[in-house]
């Protein structure tokens, strides 16, 4: 009996440990605690920055195409407004949870601080299955979610953007709904809008562009050349495909693409524009003639110079981190690596460009979009790209120098740099009583 109980409790303990590892909020908190300790952050300021400032949950009805009423649950979490308005995307997925949105909101705070743009951090999400919804249902859901949060959003308060399963069209609906309530057109309430509605040139490819700049900078730092470099990309959506296109243009060999429904491998390098076209026509990378079929999980662990997870959280965990054979990991997604996996990667000498740096190109271009909306004057694409490249290059250097001078890995360096900036703003503003 005693043995049985012990077995059960060990099993429960293991399950608890696994759940904890895969909880993005725990992953964020583990890095925050480590960085705060290394920084010697004051306990009181640490308490302020550890928690999100506001968490809003809405349950709202939507009329479905078949005449039934469905009730959806949506979140908006504002982690911090210490350095400026709250900023961050909105995602639609069946597994959206408050802890996930909390983590993503705090990552936005750290990301905006790493690239030194004047925003705080926020994130939103709606629990839904967008693949099973019509355009009409998605539009009604988006508009009602926006209406529920109309007092929360605002160009000086909280500015949404696209994220997983949301896009330019979603942002156009949010902008229109918000504007109808304000009785005037307010373009600056969202970023990632269509260029025809006050969007910025270069915004849609910006996250992928920032990932490509991060790869270039890593190679420079490590003394490698793109032409000798093989790349595996996990996720071929907006971030993965744009990064792949740019990397291929710069001479990198994209040897593997891993998607949720199957992977591709070609040791000689995949023709990326042809694959983008194939995916646009068929909706999948599968069946592409220019590469062999491959198992996506195995692709992650295949030998390559750069591995780019560009889809979602928890792709590299304690379960597979030891098998990663890439020299460099550039995190296009938010939270693709668990905190437990960090230790293994560091031990194995993998050079990590952490998410809050590597994928910050998107929000940096969002900042440019917001600035252009406020000016009512729009820049040519070259100017957006040049400014973006400069921000990404200098932020990369800041993080690497910080890591070297403090003797920490790149991820903890990025967190320390960001926490330090947000802590200074918080202290200077003082605690309102
Ligand atoms: N969703 C993107 C991110 O996670 C962009 C956010 C934004 O532009 O506000 O960084």
């Amino acid at each position: 009996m005693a043995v049985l109980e012990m077995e059960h409790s060990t099993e429960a303990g293991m399950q608890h440990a696994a759940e904890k590892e895969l909880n993005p909020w725990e992953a964020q908190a583990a890095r925050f605690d480590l960085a705060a300790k290394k920084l010697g952050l004051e306990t009181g300021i640490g308490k302020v920055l550890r928690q999100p400032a506001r968490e809003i949950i809405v349950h709202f009805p939507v009329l479905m195409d078949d005449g039934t009423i469905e009730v959806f649950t949506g979140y908006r979490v504002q982690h911090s407004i210490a350095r400026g308005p709250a900023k961050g995307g909105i995602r639609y997925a069946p597994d959206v949870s408050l802890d996930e949105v909390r983590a993503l909101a705090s990552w936005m705070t750290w990301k905006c601080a790493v690239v030194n743009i004047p925003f705080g951090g926020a994130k939103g999400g709606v629990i839904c299955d967008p693949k099973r919804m019509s355009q009409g249902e998605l539009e009604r859901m988006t508009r009602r979610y926006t209406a529920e949060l109309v007092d929360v959003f605002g160009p000086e308060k909280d500015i949404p953007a696209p994220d997983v399963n949301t896009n330019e069209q979603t942002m156009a609906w949010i902008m229109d709904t918000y504007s109808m309530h304000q009785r005037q057109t307010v373009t600056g309430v969202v970023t990632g809008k269509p260029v025809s509605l006050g969007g910025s040139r270069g915004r849609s490819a910006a996250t992928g562009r920032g990932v490509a700049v991060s790869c270039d900078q890593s190679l420079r730092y490590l003394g490698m050349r793109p032409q000798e470099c093989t790349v595996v990309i996990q996720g071929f959506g907006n971030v993965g495909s744009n990064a792949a296109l740019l990397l291929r243009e710069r001479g990198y060999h994209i040897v593997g693409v891993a998607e949720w429904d199957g992977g591709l491998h070609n040791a000689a390098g995949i023709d990326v524009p042809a694959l983008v076209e194939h995916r646009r026509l068929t909706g999948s990378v599968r069946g592409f003639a220019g590469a062999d079929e491959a198992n996506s999980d195995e692709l992650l662990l295949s030998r390559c110079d750069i591995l780019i997870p560009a889809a979602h959280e928890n792709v590299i965990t304690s379960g597979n981190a030891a098998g990663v054979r890439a020299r460099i990991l550039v995190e296009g997604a938010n939270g693709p690596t668990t905190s437990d996996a960090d230790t293994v990667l560091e031990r194995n000498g993998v050079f990590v460009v952490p998410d809050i740096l590597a994928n910050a190109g998107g929000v940096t271009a969002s900042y440019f979009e917001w600035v252009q909306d406020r000016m009512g004057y729009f820049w040519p694409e070259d100017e957006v790209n040049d400014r973006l490249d400069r921000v990404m290059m200098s932020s990369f250097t800041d993080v690497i120098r910080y890591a070297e001078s403090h003797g920490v890995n790149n991820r903890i360096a990025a967190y320390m740099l960001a926490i330090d900036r947000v802590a200074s703003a918080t202290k200077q503003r003082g605690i309102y009583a």
Side-chain angles (χ1 to χ4, degrees):
M1 189 62 192
V3 173
L4 202 67
E5 263 167 27
M6 211 167 78
E7 266 174 19
H8 277 303
S9 65
T10 322
E11 222 172 81
M14 276 165 67
Q15 197 182 340
H16 178 71
E19 271 168 25
K20 198 169 167 193
E21 181 184 357
L22 299 183
N23 180 324
W25 176 249
E26 299 280 355
Q28 186 282 145
R31 275 77 167 247
F32 176 87
D33 290 343
L34 197 57
K37 195 165 159 214
K38 294 255 180 210
L39 269 177
L41 189 69
E42 271 172 49
T43 317
I45 298 291
K47 279 192 211 165
V48 177
L49 302 188
R50 203 178 189 282
Q51 293 294 333
R54 287 176 93 187
E55 304 180 344
I56 300 138
I57 305 177
V58 288
H59 305 286
F60 56 93
V62 175
L63 199 55
M64 306 307 278
D65 287 348
D66 63 3
T68 59
I69 296 169
E70 199 57 68
V71 173
F72 290 88
T73 296
Y75 306 100
R76 185 70 179 173
V77 174
Q78 297 178 342
H79 173 260
S80 167
I81 55 164
R83 300 178 78 251
K87 184 82 190 84
I90 294 171
R91 65 172 54 181
Y92 292 165
D95 57 353
V96 164
S97 70
L98 184 55
D99 263 355
E100 182 193 32
V101 179
R102 276 182 183 135
L104 290 159
S106 62
W107 280 325
M108 288 309 302
T109 304
W110 312 136
K111 196 185 298 188
C112 292
V114 166
V115 288
N116 217 354
I117 56 177
F119 286 140
K123 204 77 169 200
V126 179
I127 304 172
C128 64
D129 192 349
K131 289 197 178 74
R132 296 160 139 257
M133 291 170 71
S134 70
Q135 277 292 100
E137 288 169 342
L138 283 170
E139 176 172 356
R140 292 192 292 277
M141 186 184 80
T142 302
R143 288 186 181 278
R144 182 64 190 245
Y145 170 75
T146 308
E148 296 292 329
L149 294 168
V150 80
D151 297 325
V152 173
F153 295 147
E156 308 293 337
K157 296 203 284 191
D158 184 343
I159 307 136
D163 198 80
V164 174
N165 293 327
T166 55
N167 56 25
E168 288 189 353
Q169 179 61 74
T170 323
M171 297 306 115
W173 291 329
I174 295 177
M175 194 275 269
D176 182 68
T177 307
Y178 182 83
S179 296
M180 289 295 119
H181 282 260
Q182 303 302 318
R183 298 277 183 259
Q184 59 182 344
T185 296
V186 187
T187 53
V189 68
V190 286
T191 59
K193 300 177 289 294
V195 171
S196 56
L197 290 177
S200 175
R201 293 186 177 82
R203 172 62 186 89
S204 59
T207 312
R209 186 174 185 89
V211 168
V213 175
S214 298
C215 293
D216 288 348
Q217 294 303 107
S218 303
L219 294 201
R220 270 173 64 128
Y221 181 73
L222 298 169
M224 295 160 70
R225 291 184 341 117
Q227 291 75 12
E228 294 155 2
C229 204
T230 55
V231 182
V232 170
I233 301 186
Q234 184 255 343
F236 207 66
N238 174 276
V239 181
S241 63
N242 279 302
L245 283 167
L246 285 165
L247 289 170
R248 155 118 177 167
E249 264 174 33
R250 295 167 191 206
Y252 293 77
H253 305 281
I254 315 299
V255 294
V257 169
E259 268 276 71
W260 61 278
D261 60 347
L264 299 172
H265 184 260
N266 181 344
I270 294 171
D271 178 349
V272 179
L275 179 59
V276 169
E277 184 57 12
H278 173 85
R279 190 176 183 276
R280 192 182 66 79
L281 293 173
T282 67
S284 170
V285 300
R286 289 175 61 184
F288 178 63
D292 298 326
E293 270 182 28
N295 176 293
S296 286
D297 294 339
E298 287 169 14
L299 274 174
L300 278 179
L301 307 182
S302 62
R303 196 174 290 287
C304 61
D305 295 299
I306 305 183
L307 175 62
I308 305 178
H312 47 73
E313 296 103 74
N314 299 334
V315 171
I316 298 166
T317 66
S318 58
N320 65 0
V324 169
R325 289 191 289 165
R327 167 87 187 83
I328 304 167
L329 179 71
V330 179
E331 297 181 338
N334 290 311
T337 307
T338 67
S339 159
D340 291 355
D342 280 350
T343 324
V344 182
L345 296 178
E346 186 168 10
R347 198 170 51 225
N348 291 347
V350 179
F351 183 85
V352 176
V353 187
D355 48 5
I356 56 173
L357 169 63
N359 72 38
V363 75
T364 303
S366 279
Y367 168 54
F368 298 153
E369 179 172 334
W370 180 76
V371 168
Q372 292 170 80
D373 287 339
R374 284 156 67 108
M375 289 199 295
Y377 178 74
F378 292 86
W379 313 340
E381 186 165 345
D382 281 357
E383 185 170 344
V384 175
N385 290 344
D386 285 352
R387 285 179 186 269
L388 180 60
D389 290 355
R390 270 184 276 142
V391 170
M392 290 305 298
M393 286 191 283
S394 63
S395 306
F396 185 94
T397 309
D398 289 349
V399 170
I400 297 297
R401 287 217 185 111
Y402 207 101
E404 283 172 350
S405 61
H406 289 78
V408 292
N409 65 39
N410 294 345
R411 188 186 313 282
I412 295 304
Y415 271 76
M416 287 170 75
L417 182 67
I419 293 169
D420 203 14
R421 286 181 176 153
V422 184
S424 301
T426 307
K427 271 196 269 185
Q428 277 167 353
R429 288 177 65 150
I431 305 297
Y432 177 70

